[in-house]
Amino acid sequence: MSDPRIDPPPSADERTMLDSWLDWHRETLAVKCQGLTDEQLRERSTPPSPLSLLGLVRHMAYVEHMWFRVVLAGEDYHSPIKSADDRDGDFLGTDDASVEEAFAVWRSEIDNARKAAAGLSLDTVGRAKRHGEDISLRWILVHMIEEYARHNGHADLIRERVDGTTGE
């Protein structure tokens, strides 16, 4: 597998550090999916879990959409991945989902997230609340790093199960 990731700088201002780590984790998920067939990307981790690499990509597209476009930018919910009342549609809807479309939507949501956050202070409060509380861009970035890190751990295990490939 090729590794296009750029390591985050060992010393930088807070915003550069947060953006760099988030980008590194975004690319880590892409690396975990590299070189697999559509069927391998759909392969479930282990019963009864519905997790698959394709499901993780779809989930992260949804998460990018929710935190940056809905919470931060205040846009209406309109994710093409799942409806607002379909709690597990991102993970369960992989059998018939287009792999090409899922990756395109994920990359598009990453681009939209970058645009939504561009030029904003880390102290900027999102236009939508979470559980009745204001959420800062700083919180969103830290949460997104945590979300990707957790799911990249899942991706490691799924990829190893699919074809034996392991790595950072």
Side-chain angles (χ1 to χ4, degrees), residues 96-115:
D96 299 322
S98 163
V99 169
E100 185 177 323
E101 180 181 346
F103 276 86
V105 168
W106 177 51
R107 290 291 186 191
S108 176
E109 290 299 344
I110 290 170
D111 289 342
N112 290 327
R114 287 183 178 127
K115 288 174 191 167

Side-chain angles (χ1 to χ4, degrees), residues 38-39 41-44 49-52 54-55 58 88-99 102:
D38 290 5
E39 291 74 28
L41 289 167
R42 286 186 178 93
E43 193 171 318
R44 308 285 188 197
S49 175
L51 286 181
S52 66
L54 181 58
R58 288 168 45 91
D88 293 320
D90 42 2
F91 294 117
L92 299 176
T94 59
D95 291 339
D96 299 322
S98 163
V99 169

Side-chain angles (χ1 to χ4, degrees), residues 65 69-70 75-82 109:
H65 177 85
R69 295 179 75 181
V70 176
E75 293 181 21
D76 290 335
Y77 178 86
H78 60 273
S79 172
I81 295 297
K82 66 180 186 175
E109 290 299 344

Side-chain angles (χ1 to χ4, degrees), residues 1 29-43 52-54 99 103 155 158-165:
M1 291 190 296
L29 183 56
V31 166
K32 295 299 172 188
C33 296
Q34 221 177 51
L36 296 176
T37 66
D38 290 5
E39 291 74 28
Q40 288 173 312
L41 289 167
R42 286 186 178 93
E43 193 171 318
S52 66
L53 290 167
L54 181 58
V99 169
F103 276 86
I158 296 168
R159 180 65 190 251
E160 185 175 10
R161 183 183 182 284
V162 168
D163 73 350
T165 300

Side-chain angles (χ1 to χ4, degrees), residues 5 19 26 44 52 67 75 78 84 112-113 118 124 138 144:
R5 295 175 297 177
D19 286 342
R26 287 168 169 156
R44 308 285 188 197
S52 66
W67 284 111
E75 293 181 21
H78 60 273
N112 290 327
T124 299
R138 178 182 287 104
M144 289 298 295

